[in-house]
Amino acid sequence: MEKTHFCRLTAWTEAERHATARGIMALPLIAVLNGPNLNMLGLREPDIYGRATLGDVEQLCAETAEALDLAIEFRQTNHEGQLISWVQECRERAHGIVINPAGYGHTSVALLDALLSAELPVIEVHISNIHRREAFRHHTLTSSAATGVICGLGIKGYALALTALAELILDEDNQ
Ligand code: CA2
């Protein structure tokens, strides 16, 4: 699954429409990256992760991005190296990262290293409250590269993460 949404809810001025169409003015790009097994969302374990599918998460992110004047690239992979390559790409292309590293958050020093070297604001999201679950889920290696971590709020955590990133980017621009 891999899609880019360029969207905006508020009305464009004529000048803005021309500028974006000609590539002069681009919306800030946020990579929304999802790790292993998240393609199973809504299909199994609804008591833990709810009934929303990954498609529903993508739609929520697209709608939220539209309202915030952000562009998003929404991706999911079951492969650690792929996730790392996507994070590496972000350094040159994106303004921020929302990542649900899933199981790799608990295990992957390599993913942590990639996130650190991206030098971008990162919000880590977990759908479930990992602190109310098994002890091995209480610690995430990747969180130390994150500006903020959201867990336990279901898929709404993705929308909150995009909102937080929009504010962080705006603050950066105003400095
Ligand atoms: O709560 C989260 O978002 C997690 O990142 C989800 C991971 C888990 O390893 C983390 O500890 C917390 C699991 C990915 C989702 O796996 C599913 C498996 C079957 C059905 C639905 C989801």
Side-chain angles (χ1 to χ4, degrees), residues 36-38 40-42 44-45 49 100-103 106 125-128 130 133 137:
N37 296 308
L38 286 164
M40 301 301 288
L41 267 185
R44 304 222 184 102
E45 303 191 58
Y49 300 112
N100 184 343
H106 307 297
V125 174
H126 296 279
I127 295 167
S128 63
I130 53 177
R133 300 183 63 191
R137 296 188 201 271

Side-chain angles (χ1 to χ4, degrees), residues 4 12 14 26 51 53 61 66 70 74-75 82 86 88 92 95 98 102-103 114 127 139 145 159 161-163 174:
T4 308
W12 290 95
E14 195 63 19
R51 297 204 176 273
T53 64
C61 288
E66 192 170 0
L70 298 172
F74 190 94
R75 292 169 148 178
Q82 180 65 83
W86 286 342
Q88 287 179 2
E92 299 302 324
H95 290 78
V98 173
I127 295 167
H139 185 250
L162 286 169
T163 306
N174 291 337

